[in-house]
Each structure stands twice: as structure tokens, then as C-alpha cells.
Amino acid sequence: MFRSFLIKYGEIGVKGKNRYIFEDALMKQIKYALKKVDGEFAVTKDQGGRIFVEVKSDDYDHDAVLNALRHVFGVIAFCPVVHVEDVSIDNLRKEIVKYVDAVFEDKNFTFKINTRRAHKSYPMTSMEVDAALGEAVLTAFPGTKVDVHHPQVNIRVEIREIVHIYSQEIEGAGGMPLGTNGKTMLLLSGGIDSPVAGYMTAKRGVILDAVYFHAPPYTSDRAKQKVIDLAKLVSDYAGPVYLHIVNFTAIQMAIYEKCPHDELTIIMRRYMMRIAEHLANANDCLGLVTGESIGQVASQTLQSLYVTDSAVSSMPVYRPLIGMDKQEIVDMAEKIGTYETSILPYEDCCTIFVAKHPVTKPKREIIERSEKNLSDVIEGLLEEAYATEELVIVGRG
Ligand code: ATP
Ligand code: MG
């Protein structure tokens, strides 16, 4: 019954030339989201800058459209719209009753009709249309009542060549359209946190590349597949994600053999950061993103974060979860749909490489001194890791 969807988007920071960039990015992203929905759609913009999804096919999957639109950053809300071609008032009376009948299961509510005429040539004023249609609803559904100040339901009627009727507003994902704020490199593991960190970054309009470090045979193919699956889930919001899979085994082994065991984790983390930074520079990314939050684990004390961070010299490291509690992160993971996959049991980091008592307050100088033990081999190992990188593109191209 709905033939189009009116897209409501934020106006903040969307003035002048930026407005077109914002709107074009938004429309592109809506088209992307609709690619996986059965049916044919067009995304249009009218002179007033209002964006619509128009249904072109006779049949389409309505719920799938709602679900797709909920995944588009920059959309604050959207409204399913009914089209009426015969604009005569007698027909509109019938159509408004049909509309209320179909949309509201419970017909006990207060409402208001809000008519706008794009063509002032219409033979009635907006207020006359309001009154005529209001009366039609009241007559058909005795449980309804008009309340012009605080109606529970605001039914909008827009008269143009055809008439649009809508009243429902479905909450969107908010944020900024993807592609309006550059690109970053997400360190994506199989855990709960980093997919959420990726979501939060993409929400601000930032395109994601991602890097996953695996350590075969210590980490399994299933662990790798889990990360690919997580990248796919994130890409439902974040558009196609270029996932760089880096073989970290030899570097991890070298650290294990040559560095103090209580420093393994922090040194490993520093090499992950260095490799991510290298890939970020090679792929036009302007920052790194991790799922760290202060104090969550030994490697995320303020001292550890300081030492991890100091391995990166050419770009900022963003940590969108920095002040969140684990439970808040879990709630968010559930909301965005990554939690179920994140908690699958496959190890993403080999346990033999994790010290029983890792340093919780590492000192930068001491860690740097330990890393000197690697100086004979590390360049070659890094070259090897870059050379054997596997690129997986997830999402609908
Ligand atoms: P997560 O739930 O995201 O795995 P975590 O609580 O397990 O986080 P750590 O294992 O200490 O925390 O990792 C901290 C961050 O480092 C992760 O959020 C992620 O950004 C990055 N990271 C850790 N392991 C890997 C990996 N194997 N590949 C890519 N990034 C990783
Ligand atoms: Mg982890």
C-alpha cells in the first residue's frame, strides 16, 4: 500500500555547498542499502531538498525496506507514504478512511489532519481539506477524536499532482551519511568491542577499511571467517569494507622467542598498530580505530594505552568506546546485531602467546628496549606480512 518513503535527515552542518555533498552521499547510501531488498526503487530529491524512496515495482518487500532504511546513517527518521492519484475530495475522504483502517490497529486515538497544497489551484483551502478529511475519519471510527494541539497521531496530507498521505515516523540510525568524513583503518578482531567501534566511527560518516591479524595455525579458519562475518555485519551500515587480513604468526613467534613474556601482549599490540598504520597510509586512511576502553583489560590501562599509542607516529588513533562500560558496549553490540557473532567461541588470539601475568603498567623505555631484541629480524618479517596480505572485500559492491 505504501508507494514511497519520505526520508528525514539532520540539517546541522548542512548549509551551502556541503548540503549537496551531504544529500548526494545520503542518496547513494540509501541506494546501497536497498540493493538487497526485493523490488525496484528510485531515490529522488525534490526542489525543497526532500529525499524520497519511490517504489517502482508493483511488488516489494515492505519490511525489508524498513530494515534497510534503518541501516542508513544520516537518516533521522522516515515515513511510509501512501499515494492517491484521484485528488478529488470525495476520493480523498475514502482514501483517508482506508489509510487509517490499514495503519492503526487500535482505532482509539486523538488525531489531527495537516494538509499542505503544493498547487494553490486546488479548489479547497488546506483548512477546508483538514475539516473534510477529519470528519470522514471521525465518522468512520467513533473511537477517534480531534486534538489540534497535542494529537497522538498527526496525519499529513500533501496535495500535488497526486496526493501523499503519511503519519508514521520510524526512527533511523542518525549520524552522518557515509563518505562525508574521510576514511579510517579499523583494527577488527573477533571480539565484541571492535565491531561496535567500527559502527560508531562509520556513524559519523567515516568510511572503514579494516585489518585483522590472524596467526595460523594457532588461530583457526573459523576464527577468520568469524571476523569476515563481523565485517559483513558492520558493512550493512558502513558500506563495502576492505578487510586486510595479515598473517601475524611469524612476528608473534619472534616476539615470543626474543622478548620478556610479561611484555608479549603490549609488544604484540604495538606491532599490530604499526602494521595498521602502514596499511592506513597505503590506503588513504586518516586514522586508526580500535575497540579499546580504559581499564577493561590489562592491555587497556592508561599506561598500556600510552605505550600502545606511542607506536603510532603519523596519525591519530581513535577509540570511540574509551569511556564506555562493558555492559554498555554489549547493549550496543546487541542493538546493531553483531553480538551473537562476536560471542562465538573461536579464539582470535592464541593463548600460548598470552602471558600469565602481563605487565599492567608498562614503561615506554623498557618496552622499546625489549623491542630492540627484534631488530635483526623485524624488517624482514614486516615485509613478509605485507607481501602476504589477503584482501577480502565485504558488502555489496
Ligand atoms: P575486542 O572485543 O574488540 O576484541 P578486546 O576487549 O578483546 O576487544 P583486546 O584483545 O585487548 O581487547 O584488543 C583491543 C583492540 O585491539 C580491539 O578492540 C581491536 O581493535 C584490536 N585488536 C585486538 N586483536 C586484534 C586482531 N587479532 N586483529 C585486529 N585487531 C585486533
Ligand atoms: Mg580481543
Side-chain angles (χ1 to χ4, degrees):
M1 112 184 215
F2 298 105
R3 295 305 296 171
S4 68
F5 298 83
L6 169 62
I7 307 294
K8 301 204 159 173
Y9 55 94
E11 299 285 333
I12 301 165
V14 201
K15 303 216 172 69
K17 204 178 87 203
N18 285 341
R19 181 179 181 115
Y20 295 102
I21 296 170
F22 184 102
E23 289 169 353
D24 288 351
L26 185 60
M27 291 170 72
K28 182 174 163 208
Q29 218 41 48
I30 293 170
K31 285 179 198 155
Y32 176 81
L34 289 169
K35 271 189 198 171
K36 72 168 176 183
V37 181
D38 284 341
E40 219 184 295
F41 308 93
V43 182
T44 62
K45 183 164 73 169
D46 70 13
Q47 280 115 346
R50 295 201 309 171
I51 294 173
F52 286 92
V53 171
E54 311 271 0
V55 180
K56 292 293 177 195
S57 45
D58 290 339
D59 281 332
Y60 72 100
D61 185 339
H62 181 71
D63 290 341
V65 170
L66 303 189
N67 187 41
L69 291 177
R70 280 197 200 96
H71 282 77
V72 179
F73 290 131
V75 175
I76 289 183
F78 52 96
C79 314
V81 180
V82 164
H83 291 190
V84 179
E85 306 211 342
D86 173 357
V87 303
S88 69
I89 193 69
D90 282 342
N91 186 54
L92 289 183
R93 277 200 188 92
K94 278 186 221 138
E95 292 293 337
I96 199 94
V97 169
K98 257 205 259 171
Y99 176 88
V100 170
D101 197 26
V103 171
F104 302 98
E105 217 168 294
D106 176 4
K107 270 83 176 177
N108 295 291
F109 54 79
T110 62
F111 75 98
K112 156 185 175 178
I113 308 274
N114 198 328
T115 304
R116 280 212 325 213
R117 295 174 310 160
H119 295 291
K120 303 298 174 198
S121 59
Y122 195 75
M124 293 165 75
T125 66
S126 300
M127 277 170 69
E128 285 165 351
V129 177
D130 287 348
L133 301 188
E135 197 203 330
V137 173
L138 288 170
T139 310
F141 309 106
T144 62
K145 205 167 152 236
V146 171
D147 179 346
V148 291
H149 298 298
H150 304 288
Q152 286 164 326
V153 172
N154 192 351
I155 304 176
R156 296 181 186 268
V157 176
E158 288 182 13
I159 305 178
R160 320 148 171 239
E161 263 90 80
I162 62 168
V163 172
H164 282 182
I165 302 175
Y166 61 94
S167 64
Q168 294 163 291
E169 234 179 63
I170 299 168
E171 195 182 350
M176 310 268 286
L178 211 72
T180 53
N181 266 321
K183 184 160 83 161
T184 55
M185 180 66 69
L186 168 69
L187 284 86
L188 181 63
S189 71
I192 295 168
D193 305 331
S194 42
V196 176
Y199 169 91
M200 285 177 71
T201 309
K203 185 176 179 189
R204 300 309 301 164
V206 179
I207 291 171
L208 300 178
D209 269 23
V211 54
Y212 168 58
F213 298 95
H214 73 148
Y218 304 104
T219 62
S220 65
D221 270 352
R222 284 197 306 183
K224 177 168 120 181
Q225 187 57 46
K226 172 180 163 183
V227 174
I228 295 172
D229 292 344
L230 284 170
K232 270 190 201 133
L233 292 171
V234 172
S235 84
D236 272 349
Y237 296 92
V241 173
Y242 285 60
L243 173 63
H244 306 260
I245 300 177
V246 172
N247 187 326
F248 202 57
T249 312
I251 293 172
Q252 241 177 343
M253 292 300 284
I255 298 171
Y256 188 72
E257 279 160 18
K258 294 172 190 288
C259 300
H261 284 188
D262 60 348
E263 296 172 5
L264 289 181
T265 304
I266 188 85
I267 293 175
M268 239 171 58
R269 308 262 323 116
R270 279 164 61 87
Y271 278 101
M272 284 186 185
M273 294 303 242
R274 289 185 178 109
I275 294 170
E277 181 185 19
H278 172 92
L279 293 174
N281 277 317
N283 291 280
D284 304 318
C285 298
L286 293 175
L288 304 182
V289 177
T290 77
E292 293 158 312
S293 77
I294 294 172
Q296 200 189 83
V297 288
S299 61
Q300 296 173 25
T301 62
L302 220 51
Q303 291 85 350
S304 296
L305 289 171
Y306 171 84
V307 177
T308 307
D309 211 80
S310 62
V312 182
S313 56
S314 66
M315 60 181 63
V317 180
Y318 296 107
R319 298 180 169 90
L321 313 185
I322 198 70
M324 287 171 78
D325 296 340
K326 192 72 188 187
Q327 190 56 48
E328 291 174 301
I329 300 169
V330 166
D331 291 348
M332 189 132 184
E334 283 179 333
K335 193 184 113 192
I336 67 174
T338 53
Y339 183 74
E340 291 300 320
T341 304
S342 285
I343 58 171
L344 294 174
Y346 321 124
E347 286 291 330
D348 67 349
C349 174
C350 181
T351 34
I352 69 153
F353 294 112
V354 176
K356 285 200 183 64
H357 302 287
V359 281
T360 54
K361 294 182 179 171
K363 289 253 183 313
R364 180 175 171 179
E365 308 73 47
I366 294 174
I367 299 298
E368 283 173 352
R369 202 182 311 142
S370 301
E371 285 177 352
K372 290 218 169 73
N373 299 348
L374 299 165
S375 53
D376 290 348
V377 293
I378 196 68
E379 285 310 320
L381 294 178
L382 287 171
E383 285 312 317
E384 176 72 13
Y386 299 139
T388 56
E389 176 208 310
E390 183 191 343
L391 181 65
V392 177
I393 303 172
V394 303
R396 306 172 293 283

